[in-house]
């Protein structure tokens, strides 16, 4: 996958959630596994969605240019 080009082995499964602030997409939170069965459709994403929400709130402050 193009998301994990620097991985030491091929990433065979992944969980991906958007990171947004308001209506602005800031990026993606992508976590991969070498195990093809590690991440499956139908698995809960509550924790990853929470992490993406925290990142969406924190990143604008971190990325804001210094005065």
């Amino acid at each position: 996958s193009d998301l994990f080009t620097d991985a030491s082995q091929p990433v065979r499964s992944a969980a991906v959630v958007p990171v947004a602030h308001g209506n602005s997409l800031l990026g993606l939170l992508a976590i991969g596994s070498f195990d093809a069965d590690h991440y499956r459709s139908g698995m809960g994403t509550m924790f990853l969605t929470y992490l993406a929400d925290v990142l969406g709130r924190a990143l604008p402050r971190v990325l804001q240019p210094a005065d």
Side-chain angles (χ1 to χ4, degrees):
S1 166
D2 290 337
L3 289 174
F4 304 103
T5 56
D6 293 334
S8 62
Q9 315 174 34
V11 172
R12 291 186 162 68
S13 65
V16 181
V17 292
V19 176
H21 181 74
N23 292 329
S24 299
L25 179 64
L26 301 176
L28 297 172
L29 173 61
I31 301 173
S33 175
F34 304 136
D35 177 1
D37 295 321
H38 191 80
Y39 296 107
R40 297 175 309 280
S41 63
M43 290 180 78
T45 59
M46 186 185 322
F47 184 64
L48 290 180
T49 302
Y50 171 75
L51 288 177
D53 184 53
V54 170
L55 285 170
R57 294 169 190 263
L59 281 175
R61 286 180 253 163
V62 173
L63 298 175
Q64 187 174 16
D67 293 331

XYZ file of all heavy atoms in Angstrom:
495
model
N 0.834 -1.189 0.000
C 0.000 0.000 0.000
C 0.876 1.249 0.000
O 1.961 1.275 0.565
C -0.896 -0.038 1.230
O -1.486 1.212 1.447
N 0.386 2.291 -0.611
C 1.134 3.549 -0.668
C 1.234 4.236 0.689
O 2.084 5.093 0.883
C 0.491 4.504 -1.668
C 0.668 4.035 -3.102
O 1.605 3.253 -3.370
O -0.131 4.438 -3.958
N 0.407 3.854 1.633
C 0.466 4.455 2.966
C 1.672 3.970 3.763
O 2.123 4.638 4.680
C -0.801 4.135 3.756
C -2.074 4.816 3.312
C -3.266 4.282 4.103
C -1.963 6.316 3.491
N 2.165 2.798 3.439
C 3.218 2.176 4.247
C 4.436 1.829 3.388
O 4.980 0.741 3.488
C 2.664 0.912 4.911
C 1.427 1.156 5.746
C 0.180 0.816 5.272
C 1.538 1.744 6.994
C -0.955 1.039 6.032
C 0.410 1.981 7.765
C -0.834 1.628 7.279
N 4.899 2.750 2.592
C 6.002 2.472 1.674
C 7.320 2.204 2.387
O 8.182 1.527 1.842
C 6.194 3.628 0.673
O 6.397 4.842 1.409
C 4.986 3.764 -0.229
N 7.500 2.693 3.603
C 8.759 2.500 4.330
C 8.726 1.319 5.295
O 9.662 1.130 6.077
C 9.129 3.764 5.108
C 9.483 4.921 4.195
O 9.910 4.656 3.056
O 9.330 6.077 4.607
N 7.677 0.512 5.235
C 7.564 -0.629 6.152
C 8.634 -1.667 5.829
O 9.004 -1.871 4.674
C 6.177 -1.265 6.043
N 9.128 -2.334 6.864
C 10.172 -3.340 6.683
C 9.647 -4.597 5.995
O 10.427 -5.350 5.420
C 10.790 -3.708 8.034
O 9.807 -4.277 8.882
N 8.338 -4.827 6.071
C 7.681 -5.947 5.408
C 6.377 -5.411 4.807
O 5.921 -4.349 5.196
C 7.290 -7.052 6.382
C 8.290 -7.465 7.384
C 7.668 -8.470 8.362
O 6.834 -9.286 8.029
N 8.094 -8.391 9.605
N 5.757 -6.166 3.910
C 4.472 -5.701 3.371
C 3.395 -5.627 4.456
O 3.258 -6.538 5.264
C 4.102 -6.777 2.346
C 5.369 -7.491 2.037
C 6.226 -7.391 3.269
N 2.679 -4.524 4.489
C 1.561 -4.366 5.413
C 0.372 -5.076 4.781
O -0.023 -4.772 3.672
C 1.269 -2.875 5.679
C -0.009 -2.701 6.472
C 2.441 -2.246 6.410
N -0.181 -6.031 5.499
C -1.243 -6.867 4.948
C -2.639 -6.510 5.445
O -3.627 -6.965 4.892
C -0.931 -8.324 5.232
C 0.268 -8.816 4.432
C 0.472 -10.298 4.613
N 1.305 -10.916 3.619
C 2.591 -10.732 3.431
N 3.223 -9.850 4.156
N 3.255 -11.394 2.517
N -2.744 -5.723 6.508
C -4.046 -5.227 6.948
C -3.830 -3.881 7.624
O -2.743 -3.603 8.130
C -4.740 -6.213 7.882
O -4.027 -6.371 9.086
N -4.861 -3.061 7.596
C -4.716 -1.719 8.159
C -6.056 -1.204 8.660
O -7.112 -1.603 8.181
C -4.157 -0.760 7.113
N -5.970 -0.320 9.635
C -7.116 0.448 10.120
C -6.815 1.901 9.778
O -5.741 2.411 10.102
C -7.291 0.265 11.616
N -7.742 2.555 9.108
C -7.528 3.928 8.645
C -8.757 4.755 9.001
O -9.883 4.359 8.697
C -7.294 3.966 7.118
C -7.049 5.385 6.639
C -6.133 3.066 6.720
N -8.538 5.894 9.669
C -9.621 6.815 10.002
C -9.183 8.232 9.638
O -8.003 8.570 9.722
C -10.019 6.735 11.495
C -10.666 5.410 11.818
C -8.856 6.986 12.402
N -10.131 9.076 9.214
C -9.775 10.460 8.879
C -9.491 11.282 10.126
O -10.070 11.056 11.189
C -11.022 10.979 8.156
C -12.138 10.125 8.648
C -11.537 8.787 8.977
N -8.588 12.239 9.979
C -8.298 13.224 11.031
C -8.798 14.564 10.493
O -8.301 15.048 9.478
C -6.796 13.297 11.358
C -6.514 14.397 12.375
C -6.279 11.952 11.852
N -9.799 15.119 11.156
C -10.420 16.345 10.663
C -10.542 17.365 11.782
O -10.531 17.027 12.967
C -11.804 16.038 10.097
N -10.659 18.623 11.366
C -10.935 19.728 12.282
C -12.070 20.521 11.651
O -11.875 21.161 10.611
C -9.701 20.606 12.475
C -9.921 21.731 13.431
N -10.005 21.535 14.784
C -10.086 23.053 13.231
C -10.201 22.694 15.383
N -10.255 23.636 14.448
N -13.242 20.437 12.251
C -14.414 21.057 11.618
C -14.688 20.342 10.300
O -14.782 19.115 10.262
N -14.778 21.108 9.226
C -15.000 20.529 7.896
C -13.706 20.319 7.123
O -13.748 19.973 5.945
C -15.948 21.421 7.079
C -17.358 21.411 7.635
O -17.791 20.411 8.200
N -18.061 22.519 7.492
N -12.563 20.554 7.751
C -11.268 20.435 7.073
C -10.628 19.082 7.364
O -10.405 18.734 8.528
C -10.314 21.534 7.536
O -10.832 22.799 7.239
N -10.314 18.355 6.327
C -9.581 17.099 6.472
C -8.101 17.426 6.643
O -7.497 18.058 5.780
C -9.785 16.194 5.259
C -9.058 14.857 5.290
C -9.573 13.992 6.428
C -9.207 14.133 3.960
N -7.524 17.020 7.771
C -6.111 17.294 8.048
C -5.210 16.154 7.605
O -4.033 16.355 7.353
C -5.907 17.544 9.545
C -6.689 18.705 10.145
C -6.459 18.773 11.645
C -6.305 20.011 9.480
N -5.751 14.947 7.556
C -4.938 13.797 7.183
C -5.632 12.507 7.561
O -6.844 12.475 7.776
N -4.848 11.453 7.653
C -5.345 10.137 8.005
C -4.526 9.558 9.143
O -3.309 9.758 9.194
C -5.244 9.180 6.813
C -6.054 9.509 5.574
C -5.679 8.571 4.443
C -7.532 9.420 5.869
N -5.184 8.838 10.022
C -4.503 8.031 11.022
C -4.543 6.612 10.476
O -5.621 6.037 10.318
C -5.213 8.125 12.372
C -4.702 7.199 13.475
C -3.238 7.483 13.792
C -5.553 7.348 14.725
N -3.388 6.090 10.114
C -3.302 4.761 9.518
C -2.366 3.890 10.336
O -1.214 4.252 10.563
C -2.802 4.866 8.070
N -2.886 2.764 10.796
C -2.107 1.815 11.588
C -2.147 0.488 10.859
O -3.224 -0.041 10.572
C -2.667 1.683 13.018
C -2.655 3.057 13.697
C -1.882 0.660 13.806
C -3.315 3.094 15.034
N -0.974 -0.035 10.543
C -0.918 -1.264 9.760
C -0.347 -2.431 10.531
O 0.281 -2.266 11.571
N -0.599 -3.616 9.990
C -0.088 -4.851 10.582
C 0.448 -5.755 9.476
O -0.096 -5.784 8.368
C -1.202 -5.572 11.335
O -0.746 -6.831 11.806
N 1.482 -6.487 9.799
C 2.013 -7.480 8.855
C 1.113 -8.708 8.787
O 1.170 -9.475 7.843
C 3.428 -7.895 9.263
C 4.387 -6.735 9.383
C 5.249 -6.639 10.456
C 4.436 -5.739 8.433
C 6.139 -5.575 10.578
C 5.315 -4.670 8.530
C 6.163 -4.590 9.601
N 0.251 -8.885 9.785
C -0.687 -10.004 9.855
C -1.936 -9.666 9.041
O -2.647 -8.711 9.335
C -1.056 -10.262 11.315
C -2.075 -11.365 11.518
O -2.517 -11.982 10.535
O -2.434 -11.610 12.684
N -2.220 -10.459 8.028
C -3.359 -10.200 7.144
C -4.695 -10.258 7.878
O -5.676 -9.663 7.427
C -3.349 -11.187 5.988
N -4.764 -10.948 8.986
C -6.022 -11.087 9.716
C -6.126 -10.179 10.936
O -7.083 -10.277 11.702
C -6.203 -12.543 10.169
C -6.357 -13.485 8.998
O -7.031 -13.102 8.022
O -5.786 -14.592 9.047
N -5.147 -9.298 11.135
C -5.155 -8.469 12.346
C -6.315 -7.471 12.339
O -7.048 -7.357 13.311
C -3.827 -7.747 12.506
C -3.678 -7.103 13.843
N -3.310 -7.806 14.961
C -3.875 -5.825 14.253
C -3.270 -6.996 16.007
N -3.620 -5.780 15.595
N -6.464 -6.706 11.260
C -7.565 -5.748 11.137
C -8.549 -6.293 10.111
O -8.176 -6.691 9.028
C -7.054 -4.378 10.688
C -6.134 -3.736 11.701
C -4.771 -3.645 11.466
C -6.634 -3.235 12.898
C -3.926 -3.067 12.406
C -5.796 -2.656 13.837
C -4.448 -2.575 13.577
O -3.621 -2.016 14.508
N -9.842 -6.297 10.491
C -10.884 -6.814 9.615
C -12.051 -5.835 9.599
O -12.284 -5.128 10.584
C -11.376 -8.176 10.113
C -10.320 -9.259 10.103
C -10.809 -10.557 10.716
N -11.420 -10.446 12.037
C -10.769 -10.357 13.186
N -9.455 -10.357 13.196
N -11.408 -10.273 14.333
N -12.798 -5.841 8.498
C -14.003 -5.014 8.466
C -14.950 -5.532 9.534
O -14.971 -6.720 9.854
C -14.658 -5.070 7.087
O -15.089 -6.377 6.804
N -15.666 -4.665 10.125
C -16.574 -5.051 11.194
C -15.971 -4.909 12.575
O -16.687 -5.021 13.570
N -14.678 -4.681 12.664
C -14.055 -4.452 13.972
C -14.436 -3.053 14.441
O -14.625 -2.140 13.649
C -12.531 -4.539 13.881
C -12.004 -5.926 13.632
S -10.211 -5.967 13.543
C -9.791 -5.875 15.272
N -14.524 -2.876 15.730
C -14.827 -1.563 16.282
C -13.699 -0.577 16.034
O -12.525 -0.942 16.013
N -14.054 0.666 15.833
C -13.051 1.709 15.598
C -13.169 2.826 16.633
O -12.637 3.909 16.423
C -13.193 2.307 14.184
O -14.515 2.848 14.048
C -12.937 1.267 13.113
N -13.843 2.566 17.756
C -14.088 3.617 18.734
C -12.786 4.253 19.239
O -12.664 5.480 19.291
C -14.882 3.089 19.928
C -15.283 4.191 20.880
S -16.119 3.710 22.411
C -17.163 2.392 21.940
N -11.794 3.444 19.584
C -10.540 3.997 20.104
C -9.790 4.772 19.031
O -9.289 5.873 19.283
C -9.656 2.887 20.681
C -8.395 3.417 21.314
C -8.453 4.235 22.427
C -7.152 3.106 20.784
C -7.290 4.737 23.011
C -5.990 3.595 21.359
C -6.056 4.418 22.470
N -9.720 4.233 17.809
C -9.031 4.951 16.729
C -9.755 6.247 16.379
O -9.126 7.263 16.097
C -8.913 4.068 15.489
C -7.947 2.899 15.609
C -7.918 2.109 14.312
C -6.551 3.366 15.969
N -11.076 6.228 16.399
C -11.849 7.441 16.142
C -11.582 8.476 17.225
O -11.443 9.672 16.941
C -13.347 7.107 16.049
O -13.534 6.144 14.998
C -14.183 8.334 15.764
N -11.477 8.025 18.474
C -11.135 8.931 19.579
C -9.750 9.551 19.360
O -9.577 10.768 19.510
C -11.193 8.176 20.907
C -10.647 8.982 22.065
C -11.385 10.025 22.616
C -9.393 8.703 22.589
C -10.886 10.772 23.668
C -8.885 9.444 23.637
C -9.627 10.475 24.177
O -9.120 11.217 25.206
N -8.766 8.731 19.003
C -7.417 9.253 18.743
C -7.429 10.261 17.598
O -6.773 11.308 17.668
C -6.455 8.114 18.407
C -6.053 7.196 19.544
C -5.151 6.086 19.022
C -5.361 7.962 20.659
N -8.180 9.962 16.542
C -8.267 10.878 15.408
C -8.918 12.194 15.834
O -8.507 13.271 15.384
C -9.040 10.235 14.264
N -9.915 12.137 16.706
C -10.564 13.348 17.211
C -9.581 14.190 18.025
O -9.513 15.410 17.864
C -11.787 12.979 18.052
C -12.547 14.197 18.524
O -12.904 15.034 17.667
O -12.773 14.316 19.748
N -8.813 13.547 18.899
C -7.804 14.263 19.689
C -6.775 14.908 18.765
O -6.415 16.083 18.935
C -7.131 13.314 20.709
C -5.927 13.979 21.362
C -8.134 12.869 21.764
N -6.303 14.177 17.779
C -5.343 14.743 16.819
C -5.954 15.915 16.051
O -5.287 16.926 15.807
C -4.879 13.667 15.834
C -3.900 12.645 16.375
C -3.713 11.507 15.374
C -2.568 13.302 16.701
N -7.221 15.787 15.664
C -7.893 16.859 14.940
C -8.011 18.135 15.746
O -8.004 19.235 15.202
N -8.092 18.002 17.061
C -8.155 19.190 17.919
C -6.770 19.761 18.217
O -6.597 20.962 18.373
C -8.851 18.848 19.234
C -10.312 18.504 19.063
C -10.881 17.927 20.351
N -12.192 17.384 20.157
C -13.327 18.029 20.423
N -13.277 19.246 20.884
N -14.477 17.453 20.212
N -5.767 18.889 18.300
C -4.412 19.333 18.680
C -3.592 19.831 17.495
O -2.817 20.782 17.638
C -3.678 18.198 19.378
N -3.720 19.188 16.356
C -2.863 19.532 15.211
C -2.974 20.980 14.752
O -1.946 21.602 14.444
C -3.122 18.589 14.044
C -2.456 17.229 14.149
C -2.882 16.330 12.991
C -0.950 17.363 14.196
N -4.161 21.567 14.673
C -4.206 22.979 14.238
C -3.380 23.898 15.124
O -2.756 24.841 14.626
C -5.701 23.332 14.304
C -6.380 22.019 14.081
C -5.515 21.012 14.796
N -3.343 23.630 16.427
C -2.536 24.470 17.320
C -1.043 24.245 17.088
O -0.247 25.175 17.150
C -2.873 24.165 18.777
C -4.221 24.728 19.165
C -4.529 24.405 20.589
N -5.571 23.366 20.524
C -5.905 22.593 21.508
N -5.303 22.692 22.657
N -6.856 21.701 21.368
N -0.668 22.995 16.820
C 0.747 22.661 16.603
C 1.207 23.180 15.246
O 2.331 23.657 15.106
C 0.957 21.138 16.694
C 2.353 20.739 16.304
C 0.625 20.636 18.091
N 0.342 23.109 14.242
C 0.721 23.498 12.872
C 0.596 24.977 12.620
O 1.053 25.466 11.592
C -0.147 22.717 11.875
C -0.005 21.205 11.909
C -1.008 20.565 10.947
C 1.401 20.787 11.578
N -0.013 25.698 13.546
C -0.198 27.137 13.387
C 1.167 27.830 13.385
O 1.991 27.568 14.267
C -1.061 27.683 14.519
C -1.449 29.108 14.373
C -2.422 29.518 15.471
O -2.566 28.831 16.489
N -3.072 30.632 15.296
N 1.403 28.708 12.404
C 2.702 29.400 12.360
C 2.917 30.244 13.625
O 1.982 30.854 14.137
C 2.610 30.304 11.139
C 1.416 29.864 10.384
C 0.533 29.090 11.322
N 4.148 30.264 14.103
C 4.487 31.078 15.273
C 4.483 32.557 14.880
O 4.869 32.917 13.781
C 5.848 30.676 15.810
N 4.067 33.395 15.811
C 4.055 34.857 15.546
C 5.419 35.455 15.677
O 6.265 35.099 16.386
C 3.101 35.552 16.519
C 1.653 35.140 16.226
O 1.350 34.826 15.073
O 0.846 35.157 17.191
